[in-house]
Amino acid sequence: MIIVLKDNPEIDKINALRDWLRSMDLEIHYSQGSSTTLMGLLGDTSGLDIDIIRSLPFVKKAIRIQEPYKLSHIGFKKEKTVVDVGGVKIGDGITKIIAGPCSVESNEQLIAIAESIKTSGGDVVRGGAYKPRTSPYTFQGTREEGMMILQKMKEQCKMPVVTEIMDIAHLEQFEHIDMIQVGARNMQNYELLRALGRQNKPVLLKRGFASTLEELLLSAEYILKEGNPNVILCERGIRTAANQGTITLDLSAVPRLKQMTHLPVIVDPSHGTGDSKIVTSMTLAAVACGADGVMVEVHNNPSMALCDGPQAIDLEEFEQLVKKIKQLRDIISV
Amino acid sequence: MIIVLKDNPEIDKINALRDWLRSMDLEIHYSQGSSTTLMGLLGDTSGLDIDIIRSLPFVKKAIRIQEPYKLSHIGFKKEKTVVDVGGVKIGDGITKIIAGPCSVESNEQLIAIAESIKTSGGDVVRGGAYKPRTSPYTFQGTREEGMMILQKMKEQCKMPVVTEIMDIAHLEQFEHIDMIQVGARNMQNYELLRALGRQNKPVLLKRGFASTLEELLLSAEYILKEGNPNVILCERGIRTAANQGTITLDLSAVPRLKQMTHLPVIVDPSHGTGDSKIVTSMTLAAVACGADGVMVEVHNNPSMALCDGPQAIDLEEFEQLVKKIKQLRDIISV
Amino acid sequence: MIIVLKDNPEIDKINALRDWLRSMDLEIHYSQGSSTTLMGLLGDTSGLDIDIIRSLPFVKKAIRIQEPYKLSHIGFKKEKTVVDVGGVKIGDGITKIIAGPCSVESNEQLIAIAESIKTSGGDVVRGGAYKPRTSPYTFQGTREEGMMILQKMKEQCKMPVVTEIMDIAHLEQFEHIDMIQVGARNMQNYELLRALGRQNKPVLLKRGFASTLEELLLSAEYILKEGNPNVILCERGIRTAANQGTITLDLSAVPRLKQMTHLPVIVDPSHGTGDSKIVTSMTLAAVACGADGVMVEVHNNPSMALCDGPQAIDLEEFEQLVKKIKQLRDIISV
Amino acid sequence: MIIVLKDNPEIDKINALRDWLRSMDLEIHYSQGSSTTLMGLLGDTSGLDIDIIRSLPFVKKAIRIQEPYKLSHIGFKKEKTVVDVGGVKIGDGITKIIAGPCSVESNEQLIAIAESIKTSGGDVVRGGAYKPRTSPYTFQGTREEGMMILQKMKEQCKMPVVTEIMDIAHLEQFEHIDMIQVGARNMQNYELLRALGRQNKPVLLKRGFASTLEELLLSAEYILKEGNPNVILCERGIRTAANQGTITLDLSAVPRLKQMTHLPVIVDPSHGTGDSKIVTSMTLAAVACGADGVMVEVHNNPSMALCDGPQAIDLEEFEQLVKKIKQLRDIISV
């Protein structure tokens, strides 16, 4: 960290700052220009709250040189992290395909969709049992029942499965789940992240609606720090002023994150667009810019899809999409 | 809700939609123009997911006429809600003043600040014990110890107290707290909101960094629906593209919310600006536009405020601020 | 347009509204429910200011059914618009490649880059002579001199050329330019748009930093309405709260615009990312999601690119990029 | 500016950078830590494009210490700038009141409103003749005719007047206008700003919908640099993701700008909210946080305000507002 002092600072205050920084095991390197004094801090500054430094009346600016995330930092280990999701390796250089219905409704529905996904070439099944809904008056998911349906599908179809957790208290219901999803609304639910760091199942961490990539990595850091290295990051759209009434899929997050971290990065173009008519285009774009995986909502009710989300494509569209993805994978190196 | 159909829709699909809507106890009113067909839905549409309607291939637009929030709606009851926080009435027409340190550190610190706040004319003491921090490497609060310090202060200074909850599992530690705060990061932690709705202490619900006012009211609705009517809303700044590297206090939320809901609305200009040098100005502006209360961070260490947040003003500034607020209250009717 | 009235509106005010609407040649269709009265307006409502309707004290909501843009509307003509830029057809189903330096500096620089672009397979040369710069103290472009260098390059290399206009008064300097670019900062400079609508050269209209797609089309409409049908739209990044200190390329604008308009849509991944390290990834993603063209900054100074923009790739990277684009074009249908 | 180099940079590239910087009359101060090398630049770096420095492959970070704006910088002169608008001093410590109709329609309308504003205690009359409209199909203003109506009103009512310019070519029509407004859409129309810098009338510069405060000051700098010191800044709302379908008035811009610049800062709560029902509240808040002036839309047609903007208050509301503002001015020091 570099601290730029204001002109003519009071010596006793600077000394107090220096002593406090030294008490945190930081070395201080002064640099005195004609009008500007810099303090360079050497050592681990990740525990230092930069906003506190900035608020000091004699400080003009404070700039972090070292990124505040450590275990997720690209420099932390030599090789990219590959996460094993029930046998499917995410992050191994080949874009994986996760697909399934918005909500788990019945055995029949889920198995029909899962079988079709498997035949088309999908790798992992997704399906929501616990559903975080903006309004308490809309459908909240099939909850415990949905969790059991997911388990049955897994046994029957032999496909790995990912579903969302909303509360630590539900964790034991996830015993047969292959990957636990943390939704955008809970990206900064730190007690939940800590609990997921104290178990070993892979965690799919979705980016918040207005979260920076650094904040996403710091949330991953809460999980990694507790001992669970199996974290996958997911871009699922940000809220912007320029696209009112819809979400904006930020695909640039994929190549940017890949310069920042060794963790795999996947994209959810269904929630990330909210519009089934553009899901195929944006899924292909996600593959083209290097995503380690894509997660797509599909439904099996083409004639009257009232209970499926507006962003779900049907099984036939999905089959065509998988074909295109496989062609793209031959051109694009992840 | 009004549903605008596309030109020449298939009759059997419209009939399927009609039957499904009727199964939800909605009456349907058709209106056939020369080129456009409208369906008007009569009845309670709050449980209807408008995004599903919009996704139907034969639907051009769907528009809610009725707001999706009900118990928090301004039309739900005749009088504005007044919330009793340890004897202090928030929402009674006189702007209340909540103040205290960012973090609860020690008995001495908290009591010194609380006594000064009381003398200056503050109404409620705030102080963080559980601290949601973006990085796992920065100070996470004094947690259980801080909760006990808050309780002691309350007994000694006879001031009501508000502090933040981060997990349902901590709820029993809040027995002696007068108001439970839900932070911006947990505004859509629905399991937590439900749990707070099943107890009776007032809840201070902060707006998320990119949340709409409708979403804030729908989160309040999760609490109200479980039976707890004591909810206070808090504007604490939104993240915008135009103010990079800082937060933007959205004071227009105050008069806008007051047209939407009967719940009290307060403002946190400290977190809402992140800059102690403009906290006084923005607090006065909050009072001027009709806030039912303001919540301000203060510290008692003017010479070297290293452990206080960058947005805290000192006790003397607070005293001056209270004087100005009282003058303003004579001019402005809340 | 549908106007939803508040309960129990005053009859004389509604009558005044009705008379005013009829004076604009609109037919009114009433729909009276048990608690809600709707007015449906039939006819051309594009000239009606919806904000005025919304502001009326007895109006609850007003909703546009018809899009406010007309000549750019996808329903306006049967075939997609193909724009001829010096012989290169943009919008013909094959993604075109526009490339060139950030700033035009000298004959030698521009010809060296243009020759290399031509050899690699680029279609059109871009280069800035008039440069809109945030600060008046940074380099403002080579201006008149740059315009002459562009003309010489065009003659020598036989490549079409696009460059930016900043003021109507400079229009005659664009005589030998094949396409005139309107930058993001001037997207709502309506006098400039009108002037460009009164001449016939193709106009490349860039989206503003916080503009909606509807606003982009309404700006295109200013040009089309004056008689010039040769408009190409360009996504070049929006400013968002979630990506502080950088721009966010909104690739979803490509498939969304293609559902709204018959005009060609291209993408500028260089300005749209501001980072040469991710330009290749995002260019491929733009092609994958169906862009009619991509516009990329390249430089010819790999060892010390001090005078090139941070978002420029070098000539060798460009050559590799063109190869990948051509492979992608065989898979993706635009 | 401080440049942080990456580990183990190539010496010849650093030397090339050093020579280039020296050629711009900058002194370089090296600081070599155990793992990090810093280059501190001394001298005027405002002409240096920081993005170019950041793009160099051996540079990790580049940080500006000096603000890039100079003539508008608070340190540039000792006293705050006071701008004389037809005899009304804006920036003199007393909040001034600018008011008038959205559009200038007729002599009768404008004079009736202006007389009432004068009687109520307003200081300057505003009124739009040239209207920048998002759609080419909506009312574009009375243009030349409106300019003549403004002139007549000024002669008859003896009130200073401000109105908006949309094109340099119209400048001579502004001879009798006291202050020329540059709207949000033209904040970065640099050719227009330069032209307004070469004349002496006060310029009211409105902030763009997604512009930072630094960008606003850099646009002011274009005017100041050409020789016109009479610039007033205006906050008129920013577009945000959290308030969809409406604008967000950023009042924190007032105290923030006052720490950055000596120029006066005013607020337009009418366009800044788009809703007449909250204009009074937000105007009072603007005064409370220290604005040098407020600019409010008023109309004179309380029964059927079809031709006035949705954000206009009526003459009686305006009279009450002025009374409150005057009470506030006794409490708040600007």
Side-chain angles (χ1 to χ4, degrees):
Chain A
M1 190 179 293
I2 298 170
I3 302 173
V4 184
L5 302 180
K6 286 189 182 163
D7 298 350
N8 308 315
E10 292 171 55
I11 290 299
D12 57 337
K13 292 199 176 170
I14 294 182
N15 289 346
L17 172 61
R18 187 198 55 203
D19 294 346
W20 182 71
L21 292 169
R22 283 186 182 155
S23 76
M24 299 174 88
D25 283 330
L26 295 168
E27 252 184 83
I28 297 156
H29 180 95
Y30 278 91
S31 169
Q32 178 72 49
S34 60
S35 67
T36 307
T37 306
L38 304 183
M39 293 171 78
L41 309 191
L42 305 178
D44 179 2
T45 59
S46 60
L48 200 56
D49 189 340
I50 195 168
D51 288 331
I52 288 177
I53 305 291
R54 281 182 183 140
S55 71
L56 296 174
F58 51 93
V59 166
K60 188 165 178 178
K61 291 206 176 180
I63 309 110
R64 242 182 225 296
I65 304 302
Q66 203 182 24
E67 284 80 11
Y69 46 92
K70 295 195 279 194
L71 305 173
S72 59
H73 194 284
I74 192 162
F76 179 71
K77 58 203 271 285
K78 281 206 178 149
E79 312 226 315
K80 297 243 163 187
T81 292
V82 179
V83 176
D84 186 317
V85 179
V88 173
K89 313 279 190 199
I90 298 184
D92 69 354
I94 299 165
T95 306
K96 297 303 183 301
I97 302 167
I98 305 171
C102 176
S103 288
V104 173
E105 285 161 36
S106 69
N107 279 326
E108 295 68 34
Q109 171 237 25
L110 188 63
I111 284 169
I113 293 178
E115 290 291 2
S116 179
I117 288 169
K118 193 174 184 177
T119 307
S120 296
D123 299 294
V124 177
V125 172
R126 58 140 290 151
Y130 287 96
K131 305 288 300 172
R133 302 304 304 271
T134 305
S135 165
Y137 302 113
T138 48
F139 178 55
Q140 305 280 314
T142 44
R143 299 170 72 95
E144 290 88 346
E145 192 198 332
M147 296 303 289
M148 285 185 295
I149 295 173
L150 283 167
Q151 185 179 343
K152 275 186 211 158
M153 179 281 295
K154 190 188 160 183
E155 285 161 12
Q156 187 168 334
C157 304
K158 312 289 179 208
M159 288 281 280
V161 64
V162 53
T163 195
E164 179 164 353
I165 195 165
M166 283 177 67
D167 191 11
I168 307 172
H170 303 154
L171 187 55
E172 62 185 21
Q173 295 178 40
F174 285 70
E175 193 188 335
H176 300 282
I177 297 301
D178 298 285
M179 179 157 62
I180 304 174
Q181 178 178 314
V182 176
R185 291 170 177 84
N186 278 315
M187 189 198 92
Q188 296 191 315
N189 181 342
Y190 300 124
E191 301 296 319
L192 178 61
L193 298 180
R194 276 198 193 97
L196 294 176
R198 290 189 293 262
Q199 55 88 55
N200 264 316
K201 279 187 196 298
V203 178
L204 180 60
L205 180 63
K206 289 193 154 187
R207 182 185 186 185
F209 299 121
S211 300
T212 65
L213 300 181
E214 185 175 295
E215 286 167 343
L216 174 60
L217 290 176
L218 284 166
S219 283
E221 204 79 12
Y222 268 93
I223 302 168
L224 298 170
K225 187 165 175 279
E226 297 293 326
N228 183 355
N230 301 307
V231 177
I232 296 175
L233 307 170
C234 182
E235 162 63 29
R236 53 83 73 230
I238 53 175
R239 189 171 279 186
T240 66
N243 289 321
Q244 305 244 328
T246 188
I247 196 91
T248 305
L249 188 66
D250 175 19
L251 286 183
S252 69
V254 176
R256 285 195 212 275
L257 280 170
K258 286 179 166 262
Q259 294 178 0
M260 299 165 83
T261 183
H262 53 81
L263 297 174
V265 181
I266 75 167
V267 173
D268 176 348
S270 297
H271 290 91
T273 62
D275 181 358
S276 64
K277 291 188 293 298
I278 69 170
V279 163
T280 289
S281 295
M282 297 310 287
T283 306
L284 296 176
V287 177
C289 72
D292 293 300
V294 289
M295 184 154 80
V296 181
E297 276 193 16
V298 297
H299 69 81
N300 62 345
N301 190 357
S303 62
M304 185 64 184
L306 276 178
C307 299
D308 293 294
Q311 60 258 3
I313 60 177
D314 66 34
L315 294 169
E316 195 181 333
E317 289 172 293
F318 178 69
E319 193 185 342
Q320 296 306 313
L321 174 60
V322 174
K323 281 183 191 160
K324 292 261 185 193
I325 292 174
K326 290 186 173 174
Q327 291 178 284
L328 271 185
R329 287 200 301 213
D330 294 338
I331 299 173
I332 305 293
S333 55
V334 176
Chain B
M1 190 179 293
I2 296 171
I3 302 174
V4 184
L5 301 180
K6 287 187 183 165
D7 297 351
N8 308 314
E10 292 170 54
I11 290 299
D12 58 337
K13 292 198 175 168
I14 295 183
N15 288 347
L17 173 61
R18 186 198 57 202
D19 294 346
W20 182 69
L21 292 168
R22 282 185 182 156
S23 76
M24 299 173 88
D25 282 332
L26 295 169
E27 251 183 84
I28 297 158
H29 180 94
Y30 279 91
S31 168
Q32 178 73 49
S34 61
S35 67
T36 308
T37 306
L38 304 184
M39 294 170 76
L41 310 190
L42 305 179
D44 179 2
T45 59
S46 60
L48 201 55
D49 189 340
I50 195 167
D51 288 331
I52 287 177
I53 305 290
R54 281 181 183 140
S55 72
L56 295 174
F58 51 94
V59 167
K60 188 165 179 178
K61 292 207 176 182
I63 310 110
R64 244 183 221 297
I65 304 302
Q66 203 181 23
E67 284 80 11
Y69 46 92
K70 295 195 278 194
L71 306 172
S72 58
H73 194 284
I74 192 162
F76 179 72
K77 59 205 270 287
K78 282 207 178 146
E79 314 227 313
K80 299 242 164 189
T81 292
V82 179
V83 176
D84 186 317
V85 179
V88 174
K89 312 280 190 200
I90 297 185
D92 69 353
I94 298 164
T95 306
K96 297 304 184 301
I97 302 165
I98 306 172
C102 175
S103 288
V104 172
E105 286 160 36
S106 68
N107 278 325
E108 296 69 35
Q109 171 237 27
L110 188 63
I111 284 169
I113 293 177
E115 290 291 3
S116 179
I117 288 169
K118 193 175 185 176
T119 308
S120 296
D123 299 295
V124 177
V125 172
R126 59 142 286 153
Y130 287 95
K131 304 287 298 172
R133 301 305 303 271
T134 305
S135 165
Y137 303 113
T138 49
F139 178 56
Q140 304 280 315
T142 44
R143 300 172 69 96
E144 291 87 345
E145 192 197 332
M147 296 302 291
M148 284 185 295
I149 295 173
L150 283 167
Q151 185 179 342
K152 275 187 209 156
M153 178 282 293
K154 190 188 161 183
E155 285 162 11
Q156 188 167 336
C157 303
K158 312 288 178 211
M159 289 282 279
V161 65
V162 55
T163 195
E164 180 164 352
I165 195 165
M166 281 176 67
D167 191 11
I168 307 171
H170 304 154
L171 188 55
E172 63 184 21
Q173 294 177 41
F174 285 71
E175 192 188 335
H176 300 281
I177 297 302
D178 298 284
M179 178 156 62
I180 304 175
Q181 178 178 314
V182 175
R185 289 170 179 83
N186 279 313
M187 191 199 92
Q188 295 190 317
N189 181 342
Y190 300 124
E191 300 296 320
L192 178 61
L193 298 180
R194 277 198 192 96
L196 294 177
R198 289 191 292 263
Q199 55 88 53
N200 264 315
K201 280 188 194 296
V203 177
L204 181 60
L205 180 64
K206 288 191 155 189
R207 182 184 187 186
F209 299 121
S211 299
T212 66
L213 299 182
E214 185 175 295
E215 286 168 342
L216 175 59
L217 289 175
L218 284 167
S219 283
E221 204 79 11
Y222 268 92
I223 303 168
L224 299 169
K225 187 165 174 279
E226 297 292 327
N228 183 355
N230 300 306
V231 177
I232 297 175
L233 305 170
C234 181
E235 162 63 30
R236 54 82 73 227
I238 54 175
R239 190 172 277 187
T240 66
N243 290 319
Q244 304 244 328
T246 189
I247 196 92
T248 304
L249 188 66
D250 175 18
L251 285 182
S252 69
V254 176
R256 285 195 213 273
L257 281 170
K258 285 179 167 262
Q259 293 178 2
M260 299 166 81
T261 183
H262 53 82
L263 297 173
V265 181
I266 75 167
V267 173
D268 175 349
S270 297
H271 290 91
T273 62
D275 181 356
S276 64
K277 293 187 292 298
I278 69 170
V279 164
T280 289
S281 296
M282 296 310 288
T283 305
L284 296 175
V287 177
C289 71
D292 291 300
V294 290
M295 183 153 80
V296 182
E297 278 194 15
V298 297
H299 69 80
N300 64 343
N301 190 357
S303 62
M304 185 62 184
L306 276 179
C307 299
D308 293 294
Q311 60 259 4
I313 60 176
D314 67 33
L315 294 168
E316 194 180 334
E317 288 173 293
F318 178 71
E319 193 185 343
Q320 296 306 313
L321 174 60
V322 174
K323 281 183 192 161
K324 292 262 185 190
I325 291 174
K326 290 187 173 173
Q327 289 178 285
L328 272 186
R329 288 200 301 213
D330 294 338
I331 298 173
I332 305 294
S333 54
V334 176
Chain C
M1 188 179 294
I2 297 170
I3 303 174
V4 184
L5 301 180
K6 288 189 181 162
D7 298 349
N8 308 314
E10 291 171 55
I11 290 298
D12 58 338
K13 292 198 176 169
I14 294 182
N15 289 346
L17 173 61
R18 187 198 55 202
D19 294 345
W20 182 71
L21 291 169
R22 283 184 182 158
S23 76
M24 300 173 88
D25 282 331
L26 295 168
E27 252 184 83
I28 297 157
H29 179 95
Y30 278 91
S31 170
Q32 178 71 51
S34 60
S35 67
T36 307
T37 305
L38 304 184
M39 293 170 79
L41 309 191
L42 305 179
D44 179 3
T45 58
S46 60
L48 200 56
D49 188 340
I50 194 167
D51 288 331
I52 287 176
I53 306 290
R54 281 182 182 140
S55 72
L56 295 174
F58 52 92
V59 167
K60 188 165 178 178
K61 291 206 176 182
I63 310 110
R64 243 183 223 295
I65 305 302
Q66 203 182 24
E67 284 80 11
Y69 46 93
K70 295 194 279 193
L71 305 172
S72 58
H73 194 285
I74 192 163
F76 179 72
K77 58 204 271 286
K78 282 209 176 146
E79 313 226 314
K80 298 244 164 188
T81 292
V82 179
V83 177
D84 186 317
V85 179
V88 173
K89 313 280 189 198
I90 297 185
D92 68 355
I94 299 164
T95 306
K96 296 304 181 305
I97 303 167
I98 305 171
C102 175
S103 287
V104 173
E105 286 161 36
S106 68
N107 279 324
E108 295 69 34
Q109 171 238 25
L110 188 63
I111 284 170
I113 293 178
E115 290 291 2
S116 179
I117 287 170
K118 193 174 184 177
T119 307
S120 296
D123 299 294
V124 178
V125 172
R126 56 141 289 152
Y130 287 95
K131 305 286 300 171
R133 301 305 303 272
T134 305
S135 164
Y137 303 113
T138 48
F139 179 55
Q140 306 280 314
T142 44
R143 300 170 70 96
E144 290 87 347
E145 192 197 331
M147 296 302 291
M148 284 184 296
I149 295 172
L150 283 166
Q151 185 179 343
K152 275 186 210 158
M153 180 280 294
K154 191 188 159 183
E155 285 161 13
Q156 187 167 336
C157 304
K158 312 289 178 209
M159 289 280 280
V161 64
V162 54
T163 194
E164 180 165 352
I165 195 165
M166 283 177 67
D167 191 10
I168 307 172
H170 304 154
L171 187 55
E172 61 184 23
Q173 295 177 40
F174 285 71
E175 192 188 334
H176 300 281
I177 297 301
D178 298 285
M179 180 159 60
I180 304 175
Q181 178 178 313
V182 176
R185 291 170 177 83
N186 278 314
M187 189 198 92
Q188 296 189 316
N189 181 343
Y190 299 123
E191 300 297 319
L192 178 60
L193 299 180
R194 277 197 193 98
L196 294 176
R198 290 191 292 263
Q199 55 89 53
N200 264 316
K201 280 186 195 296
V203 178
L204 180 60
L205 181 63
K206 290 192 153 188
R207 182 184 186 186
F209 299 121
S211 299
T212 65
L213 299 181
E214 185 175 296
E215 286 166 344
L216 175 59
L217 289 176
L218 285 166
S219 283
E221 204 80 11
Y222 268 92
I223 302 168
L224 299 170
K225 186 165 175 281
E226 298 292 327
N228 182 355
N230 301 306
V231 177
I232 296 175
L233 307 170
C234 182
E235 162 63 30
R236 52 84 73 229
I238 54 174
R239 190 171 277 186
T240 67
N243 289 320
Q244 305 243 326
T246 189
I247 196 91
T248 303
L249 188 66
D250 175 19
L251 286 183
S252 69
V254 177
R256 286 195 212 274
L257 280 170
K258 284 177 168 266
Q259 293 178 0
M260 300 165 82
T261 184
H262 53 82
L263 297 173
V265 181
I266 74 167
V267 173
D268 176 349
S270 297
H271 289 91
T273 62
D275 181 358
S276 64
K277 293 188 292 297
I278 69 171
V279 164
T280 288
S281 296
M282 297 310 287
T283 305
L284 296 176
V287 178
C289 72
D292 292 300
V294 289
M295 184 155 78
V296 181
E297 277 193 16
V298 298
H299 69 80
N300 62 344
N301 189 357
S303 62
M304 185 63 185
L306 275 178
C307 298
D308 293 295
Q311 60 260 4
I313 60 176
D314 66 34
L315 293 170
E316 196 182 333
E317 289 173 293
F318 178 69
E319 193 185 342
Q320 297 305 313
L321 174 60
V322 174
K323 281 182 192 160
K324 292 262 185 192
I325 291 174
K326 290 186 174 175
Q327 289 178 286
L328 272 185
R329 287 201 302 213
D330 294 338
I331 299 173
I332 305 294
S333 54
V334 176
Chain D
M1 190 179 293
I2 297 170
I3 302 173
V4 184
L5 301 180
K6 287 189 183 164
D7 297 351
N8 307 314
E10 293 171 54
I11 290 299
D12 57 338
K13 293 200 175 168
I14 295 184
N15 288 347
L17 173 61
R18 186 198 58 202
D19 293 346
W20 182 71
L21 292 168
R22 282 184 183 158
S23 76
M24 300 173 87
D25 282 332
L26 295 168
E27 253 184 82
I28 297 157
H29 180 95
Y30 279 90
S31 169
Q32 178 72 51
S34 60
S35 68
T36 307
T37 306
L38 304 184
M39 293 170 78
L41 310 191
L42 305 179
D44 180 1
T45 59
S46 60
L48 201 56
D49 189 339
I50 195 167
D51 288 330
I52 287 178
I53 305 290
R54 280 180 183 142
S55 71
L56 295 173
F58 52 92
V59 166
K60 189 166 179 178
K61 292 206 176 183
I63 309 110
R64 242 182 224 297
I65 305 302
Q66 202 183 22
E67 284 80 11
Y69 46 93
K70 294 195 280 193
L71 305 171
S72 58
H73 193 285
I74 193 162
F76 179 72
K77 57 203 272 284
K78 283 209 176 145
E79 314 225 313
K80 298 243 163 187
T81 291
V82 179
V83 176
D84 186 317
V85 180
V88 174
K89 312 280 190 198
I90 297 185
D92 70 353
I94 298 164
T95 305
K96 297 303 183 303
I97 303 165
I98 306 171
C102 175
S103 288
V104 172
E105 286 160 37
S106 67
N107 278 326
E108 297 67 35
Q109 171 236 28
L110 188 62
I111 285 169
I113 292 178
E115 290 292 3
S116 179
I117 288 169
K118 192 174 185 177
T119 308
S120 295
D123 299 294
V124 177
V125 172
R126 59 142 286 152
Y130 287 95
K131 305 287 299 171
R133 301 304 303 273
T134 305
S135 165
Y137 303 112
T138 49
F139 178 55
Q140 305 279 315
T142 44
R143 300 171 70 96
E144 290 87 346
E145 191 197 333
M147 296 302 291
M148 284 184 296
I149 296 173
L150 283 166
Q151 184 180 344
K152 274 187 210 155
M153 179 281 294
K154 189 186 162 186
E155 284 161 13
Q156 187 167 335
C157 302
K158 313 288 178 208
M159 288 282 279
V161 64
V162 55
T163 194
E164 180 164 351
I165 195 165
M166 282 177 68
D167 190 10
I168 307 172
H170 304 155
L171 187 55
E172 62 184 22
Q173 295 177 40
F174 285 71
E175 192 188 334
H176 300 282
I177 298 301
D178 298 284
M179 180 157 60
I180 304 174
Q181 178 178 315
V182 175
R185 290 169 178 84
N186 279 313
M187 190 198 92
Q188 296 190 317
N189 181 343
Y190 300 124
E191 300 296 320
L192 178 61
L193 298 179
R194 277 197 192 98
L196 294 176
R198 289 191 292 263
Q199 54 88 54
N200 264 314
K201 280 188 194 297
V203 177
L204 180 60
L205 180 63
K206 289 192 156 189
R207 182 186 187 185
F209 299 122
S211 300
T212 66
L213 300 181
E214 187 175 293
E215 286 167 343
L216 175 60
L217 290 176
L218 284 167
S219 283
E221 204 80 10
Y222 268 92
I223 303 168
L224 299 170
K225 187 164 174 280
E226 298 292 326
N228 183 355
N230 300 307
V231 177
I232 296 175
L233 307 170
C234 181
E235 162 63 29
R236 53 83 74 229
I238 54 175
R239 189 171 278 186
T240 66
N243 289 320
Q244 305 243 328
T246 188
I247 196 92
T248 304
L249 189 65
D250 175 19
L251 286 183
S252 69
V254 177
R256 286 196 212 272
L257 281 171
K258 285 179 167 262
Q259 293 178 1
M260 299 166 83
T261 183
H262 52 82
L263 297 173
V265 181
I266 75 167
V267 173
D268 175 348
S270 297
H271 290 91
T273 62
D275 181 357
S276 64
K277 293 188 292 298
I278 70 171
V279 164
T280 289
S281 295
M282 297 310 287
T283 306
L284 296 175
V287 178
C289 71
D292 292 300
V294 289
M295 184 153 81
V296 182
E297 276 192 16
V298 298
H299 69 80
N300 63 345
N301 190 357
S303 62
M304 185 63 183
L306 276 180
C307 299
D308 293 294
Q311 61 259 3
I313 60 176
D314 68 32
L315 293 169
E316 196 180 333
E317 288 172 294
F318 178 70
E319 193 185 343
Q320 296 306 313
L321 174 59
V322 174
K323 281 182 191 159
K324 291 264 185 191
I325 291 174
K326 290 187 172 172
Q327 288 178 288
L328 272 185
R329 288 200 301 214
D330 294 338
I331 299 172
I332 306 293
S333 54
V334 176

